[in-house]
Amino acid sequence: MEYNFREIEKKWQQRWVADETYKVSERADREKFYVLNMFPYPSGAGLHVGHPLGYIASDIYARYKRLKGFNVLNPMGYDAYGLPAEQYAIQTGQHPAITTEANINRYREQLDKIGFSFDWSREVRTCEPGYYHWTQWAFQKMFGSFYCNKCHSAQPIEQLVEHFEKEGSDGIDVAQSEELNFTAAEWNAMSDVNKQQVLMNYRIAYLGETMVNWCPQLGTVLANDEVVDGVSERGGFPVVQKLMKQWCLRVSAYAQRLLDGLDTIQWTDSLKETQRNWIGRSEGAEIEFKVKDSDKSFTIFTTRADTMFGVTFMVLAPESELVKELTTAEQKAAVDEYLSYVKKRTERDRISDRKVTGVFSGSYAINPFTGEANPIWISEYVLAGYGTGAIMAVPAHDSRDYAFAKHFNLPIVPLVEGCDVSEESFDAKEGIVCNSPRAGVQPYIDFSLNGLTIKEAIAATKKYVREHNLGRVKVNYRLRDAIFSRQRYWGEPFPVYYKDGMPQMIPSECLPLELPEVDKFLPTETGEPPLGNAKIWAWDTKTNSVVDCSAIDNVTVFPLELNTMPGFAGSSAYYLRYMDPHNPGALVSQEADSYWQNVDLYVGGSEHATGHLIYSRFWNKFLFDLGVSCKEEPFQKLVNQGMIQGRSNFVYRIKDTNTFVSLGLKDKYDTTPLHVDVNIVSGDVLDVEAFRKWRPEYATADFILEDGKYVCGWAVEKMSKSMFNVVNPDMIVEKFGADTLRLYEMFLGPVEQAKPWDTNGIDGSHRFLKKFWNLFWGKDALAVTDGEPSPAELKSLHKLIKKVSEDIENFSYNTSIPAFMIATNELTSLKCTKRAILEPMVVLIAPFAPHISEELWEALGHSTSICDAQWPEFNEKYLVEDTVKMMVAFNGKTRFSIEFPAGTDNATIEAAVRAHEMTPKYVEGKQIVKVIIVPGRMVNMVLK
RNA sequence: GCCCAGAUGGUGGAAUGGUAGACACGAGGGACUUAAAAUCCCUUGGCCAGAUAGGCUGUACGGGUUCGAGUCCCGUUCUGGGCACCA
């Protein structure tokens, strides 16, 4: 019987849909297991063979867990909001919803051909009102919450209001944009608008006037993770810093919990490290410096409190509010000139040329440890957004301060015994402190660090600072609050209207607030976001409904927010929605959440390390505080699948001709390499006729062949249309079948590793499936027989059970495929037809090749899906080795090995080793000292 | 600059400290065939070799630990990834 994969795969894909094979529900009698893929953005280009890699890997795991008896949730959906659909809409006028829908349908068609065990009844799309209802809801909850540093959790804002009414800002320990101080009386006297402004300082979702990454070409602001090397991640356009009023999420409040949580989850070390870097915790001290001849003072942040005696100048960030206060009249012109210079520079300029720039403010600060007056400078190397936007400069022990001091000829005072700072600064945190205070200098305070190690000096200084009220110990994080507004159309609208310039939430029972229609998807002529083009986009507070903008009277009808939410909004809690996707009354019911808990295995790309994977963890922690999610961490184990790269082919055109020369001969000519479509190349040999038809300009191309063939060059590059190296999974499925594709993708190499796609190798996987099929079939009937299997057959099977079970648990699928091949070859040469062997074989291969296994399972007489079969049990006793190998070492060297039948007793072994030693070859007049048995642990046997 | 990961044949890649190169591709040879496809068999790290027996060498480079190192330790080079005027 032929292995007709086309018929088999079509048949089972239809059967799975008809039988709802993969539909799951909460079942108290079974342990749950939640497998999740990062849901895709449905781009217009469709899927290439790289996309399904992670889906296949997780599908294998999901199917395996189900065979092991778990109730497996394996859902799929779409991250449907995104820039490409909007750009396309701007160019063509086609509504993004239409483009997105078409792309989703294409994705679904492609996915369905690969045979995944997704429960499609749980599909979510972030652009559907039923879904983004809960994105808006979460935003409103964040707006209505503040972060309490004492109880380490989000709390209702009303609690804070109550506190203000009784005690003002006294005694609060909360996350805040800036420190405000007011009494209860002052609070109670504030106007309503004023109170709202104050509360904005504490809300987890707040409207903040902050420096944002503004991308003029995209016409929108971007979050930090969307900016790479000073340009936008999408499109590569320049980004500038701009002060703008934007919605922000107080992610920074969760910095410590985001850091601590990493120790409780099974992610790769490199990904955890990336997140730790991004969060960037640093412990230090804030120390107050008084301004000379003034009652002003300011605070700096330092991690090197031990270097107080080496401060020779101070530096302010150009954007710091202190600049205006501390600039003296004489220096005003110079400072203004410098500020305008800095303003012109983009983020990119700053990164690409790091020249030392700065200007003296005219003021001096008094060092509280030495009493010296240090000049206060202004320089762009100090960042406004970190610490206090002001630093104390210790040029001897900080390379940036050093460069600045050298450039502007400022003094450098070394503080570590024996360090040489004539050429460069000494940044290391090791050594013995000296010059603190300097010898011969009258001490300003009764305090010395001399003789201590740097670590001791840091601790001692912090202690002194705290005890003498000179400042406080402080932990700073690099993690910033997330900018949550985007000036785009195709995103979730904010459920917000404006009254007296202050944002108001529309009542939660009115959610979702649906995205309005617009004529144009571009910003308005007055520079407002695209939603400014919407005619019906005002909120009527009497009817609680969206009405025409012409009705705005700012009494009962108010303008609605024109920004939309960013891409990460919809992807931050989608895993919770899959648990209960159709619930109209809640993001997820308590019952569903307490059953499915969190994602046990999450598979996706590592490029989301500082974006989605941070935001999602933050979002989930917030929902955890609210009691909506029962687990603090959303993704227990995470596997990053490596990218599949393209393997591009090249032809070599002789310059100024239409003649192409084969790879081996190209060095004899002056040639230009050109990408050629990999689909008309087979085994690096070009189909020259197809090439002539490929492009009109090549219709008359001539070729210089070698051995009658045109051999192409190749290179590994990103898989993309412009390189003509995109391989489409549909094509592979059509030619070899989905099972072959699945097997081959797993066989290519470790899931986590990036690797190039090479269609040539797929024959091996296809041949294997045919051999596997032939194990079961005679010429035209099933060849499976009953009867007792032989020890050799049992050994083959159990070796495989052991290997495959371990491999799936460890995600090393690439080594289980060879194990299947070996077992199949062994059983073929044993002419094994025994049901007791073959039936478990079918179950073992089911996660990898679901279609062929269903077909064989049915042929073996089963009426239910193989998904409900049981994973075969491994039994060690069938794996007994026939022989034991001994490595014999004497005189300090491994000399030879001998094999013995398993179970040979020591006396026999000893005799054999002695006899062996007596053979002329090994007699060297020395004593045997050790015998090491292989395999197994080393067993040393001393022979005398 | 700092942090993390890695380097094995023509290629993708296997190897609890125990015969390095499983398995697959590619290549070469052979069988079947009028021929092709399909299928099957053999060879395939390098060097030496009476091409037999076998020997030498070999996992980026240099050392070390060990009876024994691709694997563990130290140093170097290179590649990939992350962070980066973060005080």
Side-chain angles (χ1 to χ4, degrees):
Chain A
M1 187 85 98
E2 279 273 303
Y3 168 43
N4 189 338
F5 59 85
R6 286 196 190 89
E7 254 173 49
I8 292 170
E9 292 180 0
K10 199 170 146 203
K11 168 181 164 187
W12 286 100
Q13 284 169 12
Q14 286 169 353
R15 186 82 67 87
W16 291 332
V17 172
D19 294 353
E20 298 188 324
T21 308
Y22 303 117
K23 195 167 173 167
V24 286
S25 55
E26 293 80 66
R27 289 178 53 169
D29 62 324
R30 283 211 184 186
E31 202 179 328
K32 71 97 188 185
F33 198 88
Y34 188 173
V35 177
L36 184 65
N37 294 284
M38 289 185 188
F39 62 172
Y41 172 75
S43 86
L47 295 170
H48 65 60
V49 288
H51 293 113
L53 181 80
Y55 307 154
I56 294 170
S58 60
D59 193 58
I60 289 169
Y61 205 84
R63 287 175 181 274
Y64 164 75
K65 277 288 179 182
R66 178 157 172 184
L67 291 166
K68 286 283 245 182
F70 289 84
N71 189 24
V72 178
L73 175 57
N74 184 23
M76 186 45 110
Y78 303 96
D79 188 12
Y81 279 130
L83 201 53
E86 178 154 345
Q87 301 285 57
Y88 189 73
I90 291 168
Q91 287 158 20
T92 64
Q94 164 117 280
H95 197 285
I98 295 168
T99 315
T100 304
E101 167 97 32
N103 290 348
I104 285 177
N105 292 339
R106 167 95 181 103
Y107 262 59
R108 178 66 190 272
E109 208 177 283
Q110 289 186 295
L111 288 172
D112 279 348
K113 285 186 185 160
I114 304 173
F116 293 116
S117 62
F118 296 134
D119 178 358
W120 283 107
S121 75
R122 291 173 182 260
E123 177 189 327
V124 302
R125 299 179 183 185
T126 55
C127 67
E128 280 181 355
Y131 178 85
Y132 66 68
H133 180 155
W134 301 104
T135 310
Q136 294 177 336
W137 166 85
F139 167 78
Q140 290 198 337
K141 285 288 180 191
M142 291 182 196
F143 181 81
S145 305
F146 72 101
Y147 192 85
C148 170
N149 287 335
K150 276 187 227 152
C151 57
H152 304 290
S153 92
Q155 299 291 324
I157 197 89
E158 290 75 22
Q159 196 183 309
L160 196 61
V161 171
E162 212 172 291
H163 184 100
F164 290 161
E165 283 167 356
K166 288 189 195 126
E167 297 166 57
S169 64
D170 271 6
I172 57 165
D173 185 5
V174 301
Q176 52 195 333
S177 302
E178 56 182 312
E179 207 172 313
L180 301 178
N181 285 299
F182 50 86
T183 62
E186 282 167 337
W187 168 263
N188 291 324
M190 283 180 203
S191 70
D192 194 40
V193 169
N194 212 206
K195 280 181 181 168
Q196 286 181 47
Q197 281 165 346
V198 170
L199 286 178
M200 212 47 110
N201 194 49
Y202 305 97
R203 296 181 188 277
I204 287 177
Y206 63 95
L207 205 50
E209 185 143 40
T210 47
M211 278 294 173
V212 297
N213 306 302
W214 171 255
C215 178
Q217 269 87 346
L218 292 174
T220 186
V221 302
L222 298 170
N224 283 346
D225 67 284
E226 293 169 321
V227 182
V228 178
D229 291 335
V231 297
S232 65
E233 189 190 21
R234 286 190 180 257
F237 301 117
V239 170
V240 295
Q241 298 299 299
K242 194 174 170 183
L243 198 64
M244 277 179 85
K245 205 162 209 184
Q246 299 284 300
W247 283 107
C248 303
L249 302 184
R250 207 175 296 282
V251 179
S252 60
Y254 283 82
Q256 189 60 49
R257 278 168 69 187
L258 288 169
L259 198 58
D260 293 342
L262 290 174
D263 298 329
T264 69
I265 51 184
Q266 290 93 56
W267 293 15
T268 61
D269 289 341
S270 69
L271 193 69
K272 286 189 190 181
E273 203 53 33
T274 300
Q275 290 214 342
R276 286 194 189 104
N277 278 341
W278 190 257
I279 294 165
R281 180 191 154 103
S282 70
E283 259 174 77
E286 282 188 349
I287 298 170
E288 200 176 334
F289 278 69
K290 292 199 162 63
V291 179
K292 191 186 172 195
D293 303 327
S294 155
D295 54 356
K296 288 175 190 147
S297 69
F298 62 96
T299 306
I300 57 91
F301 174 75
T302 180
T303 54
R304 293 292 302 273
D306 59 306
T307 59
M308 282 306 293
F309 292 92
V311 177
T312 56
F313 58 101
M314 314 293 291
V315 189
L316 306 177
E319 300 84 5
S320 168
E321 284 165 22
L322 292 163
V323 169
K324 219 183 282 173
E325 283 183 50
L326 300 182
T327 300
T328 59
E330 306 87 79
Q331 287 298 104
K332 189 167 188 312
V335 170
D336 284 348
E337 192 188 334
Y338 183 68
L339 293 184
S340 68
Y341 157 80
V342 170
K343 211 167 186 180
K344 268 187 260 157
R345 278 160 71 81
T346 63
E347 199 61 14
R348 185 130 214 213
D349 295 338
R350 276 200 181 197
I351 291 163
S352 57
D353 88 280
R354 273 189 196 176
K355 52 187 176 190
V356 178
T357 65
V359 65
F360 178 47
S361 71
S363 298
Y364 293 81
I366 307 293
N367 183 329
F369 280 59
T370 64
E372 287 167 345
N374 301 127
I376 302 171
W377 287 70
I378 297 156
S379 174
E380 60 180 334
Y381 87 86
V382 174
L383 305 176
Y386 185 75
T388 59
I391 63 154
M392 62 179 211
V394 185
H397 303 289
D398 183 289
S399 52
R400 296 152 301 180
D401 298 345
Y402 187 88
F404 194 84
K406 281 278 177 187
H407 190 265
F408 289 103
N409 251 324
L410 295 158
I412 298 168
V413 178
L415 300 172
V416 176
E417 278 179 20
C419 74
D420 173 17
V421 294
S422 58
E423 291 300 323
E424 56 180 0
S425 60
F426 181 83
D427 290 15
K429 281 194 197 179
E430 47 200 47
I432 305 294
V433 176
C434 64
N435 288 339
S436 304
R438 265 164 284 166
V441 174
Q442 180 66 32
Y444 182 65
I445 52 170
D446 178 21
F447 182 73
S448 171
L449 295 169
N450 291 329
L452 298 179
T453 65
I454 290 184
K455 276 188 184 140
E456 289 163 350
I458 292 175
T461 314
K462 280 185 185 169
K463 186 161 172 259
Y464 185 88
V465 164
R466 211 172 31 226
E467 284 169 359
H468 293 77
N469 264 332
L470 298 172
R472 58 186 179 138
V473 172
K474 177 83 197 281
V475 176
N476 262 327
Y477 300 90
R478 209 186 62 89
L479 184 71
R480 312 287 170 78
D481 289 348
I483 312 282
F484 201 59
S485 296
R486 293 294 179 276
Q487 290 69 40
R488 291 194 197 140
Y489 173 73
W490 192 230
E492 298 86 350
F494 282 89
V496 171
Y497 64 90
Y498 285 86
K499 181 180 173 186
D500 301 326
M502 292 306 292
Q504 310 293 329
M505 296 296 122
I506 69 170
S508 62
E509 62 273 18
C510 300
L511 296 181
L513 177 67
E514 292 197 28
L515 190 65
E517 292 304 319
V518 292
D519 313 327
K520 280 194 309 181
F521 301 101
L522 279 168
T524 65
E525 277 151 27
T526 54
E528 301 215 284
L531 286 192
N533 293 316
K535 293 202 175 61
I536 305 174
W537 196 237
W539 187 253
D540 186 335
T541 52
K542 272 201 292 206
T543 60
N544 274 338
S545 59
V546 179
V547 296
D548 199 287
C549 293
S550 61
I552 293 174
D553 55 14
N554 288 314
V555 180
T556 58
V557 181
F558 301 94
L560 280 159
E561 167 77 53
L562 300 181
N563 288 299
T564 54
M565 297 186 194
F568 68 81
S571 58
S572 287
Y574 73 110
Y575 50 89
L576 291 172
R577 189 61 178 168
Y578 280 135
M579 296 174 182
D580 194 8
H582 310 297
N583 189 338
L587 167 62
V588 53
S589 69
Q590 292 279 327
E591 299 75 54
D593 183 64
S594 66
Y595 182 76
W596 297 112
Q597 308 246 334
N598 61 356
V599 177
D600 295 286
L601 176 70
Y602 196 32
V603 178
S606 58
E607 67 272 18
H608 298 106
T610 54
H612 161 64
L613 288 173
I614 289 263
Y615 298 127
S616 244
R617 292 182 61 224
F618 154 75
W619 203 285
N620 190 73
K621 281 175 195 297
F622 173 73
L623 295 177
F624 173 82
D625 290 351
L626 254 53
V628 172
S629 172
C630 65
K631 286 277 189 171
E632 176 141 13
E633 286 291 338
F635 314 120
Q636 201 53 43
K637 182 179 165 69
L638 183 133
V639 172
N640 289 125
Q641 93 273 24
M643 261 224 296
I644 290 198
Q645 297 144 314
R647 191 176 184 279
S648 312
N649 278 115
F650 297 94
V651 290
Y652 302 92
R653 182 166 66 188
I654 300 174
K655 281 219 169 106
D656 307 319
T657 68
N658 207 9
T659 302
F660 295 83
V661 58
S662 186
L663 177 69
L665 306 170
K666 79 176 170 72
D667 292 342
K668 296 180 186 160
Y669 305 88
D670 186 11
T671 58
T672 318
L674 297 167
H675 277 94
V676 60
D677 189 342
V678 292
N679 294 302
I680 58 171
V681 177
S682 168
D684 289 338
V685 175
L686 180 72
D687 180 339
V688 294
E689 280 316 309
F691 182 72
R692 287 197 174 107
K693 282 180 206 143
W694 184 43
R695 288 286 169 88
E697 65 263 38
Y698 300 145
T700 59
D702 289 322
F703 300 93
I704 299 173
L705 309 177
E706 52 183 317
D707 304 331
K709 293 179 294 192
Y710 188 97
V711 181
C712 298
W714 62 275
V716 173
E717 297 175 304
K718 194 175 146 73
M719 201 174 271
S720 93
K721 269 187 181 169
S722 61
M723 315 268 195
F724 302 109
N725 61 5
V726 174
V727 182
N728 183 296
D730 310 22
M731 226 185 58
I732 302 289
V733 168
E734 176 56 32
K735 204 164 163 194
F736 300 98
D739 285 340
T740 300
L741 173 74
R742 291 170 61 107
L743 235 40
Y744 185 56
E745 292 227 357
M746 292 304 103
F747 179 70
L748 266 178
V751 177
E752 294 94 334
Q753 193 177 301
K755 51 214 169 267
W757 175 268
D758 183 355
T759 305
N760 291 330
I762 203 167
D763 290 358
S765 304
H766 192 62
R767 264 199 285 272
F768 155 67
L769 279 177
K770 278 196 219 167
K771 283 187 205 167
F772 189 83
W773 177 261
N774 288 335
L775 269 183
F776 296 78
W777 295 92
K779 198 151 181 352
D780 36 36
L782 201 68
V784 177
T785 58
D786 291 324
E788 281 300 302
S790 70
E793 291 165 345
L794 282 164
K795 190 174 167 186
S796 268
L797 174 66
H798 284 266
K799 238 171 31 186
L800 187 65
I801 298 173
K802 183 165 192 257
K803 177 81 179 131
V804 172
S805 306
E806 284 173 3
D807 279 352
I808 295 182
E809 296 283 358
N810 298 327
F811 255 76
S812 351
Y813 305 126
N814 57 320
T815 56
S816 356
I817 314 287
F820 274 114
M821 291 177 178
I822 292 164
T824 302
N825 283 341
E826 282 172 1
L827 293 175
T828 304
S829 58
L830 290 168
K831 297 200 167 34
C832 174
T833 56
K834 315 264 174 56
R835 172 179 293 268
I837 300 294
L838 296 181
E839 201 166 276
M841 289 281 289
V842 180
V843 181
L844 288 175
I845 208 165
F848 299 88
H851 309 87
I852 195 175
S853 59
E854 286 276 23
E855 182 70 17
L856 290 169
W857 192 245
E858 189 185 54
L860 288 168
H862 296 275
S863 58
T864 55
S865 166
I866 193 163
C867 296
D868 297 319
Q870 268 198 356
W871 192 253
E873 211 153 303
F874 167 63
N875 193 331
E876 186 91 52
K877 78 175 179 195
Y878 298 116
L879 291 196
V880 177
E881 292 294 329
D882 313 333
T883 59
V884 174
K885 192 179 227 174
M886 325 262 319
M887 306 292 297
V888 181
F890 61 94
N891 195 24
K893 282 212 168 120
T894 302
R895 292 306 167 101
F896 57 91
S897 65
I898 320 174
E899 279 193 35
F900 297 96
T904 306
D905 61 281
N906 284 1
T908 313
I909 292 173
E910 196 173 318
V913 172
R914 273 180 197 288
H916 209 293
E917 189 201 5
M918 291 306 140
T919 62
K921 207 168 173 178
Y922 294 103
V923 171
E924 291 178 11
K926 300 288 195 277
Q927 195 184 30
I928 293 175
V929 288
K930 280 180 187 173
V931 177
I932 298 144
I933 301 181
V934 178
R937 291 291 140 210
M938 290 208 275
V939 174
N940 296 341
M941 183 191 294
V942 178
L943 303 180
K944 289 183 189 127

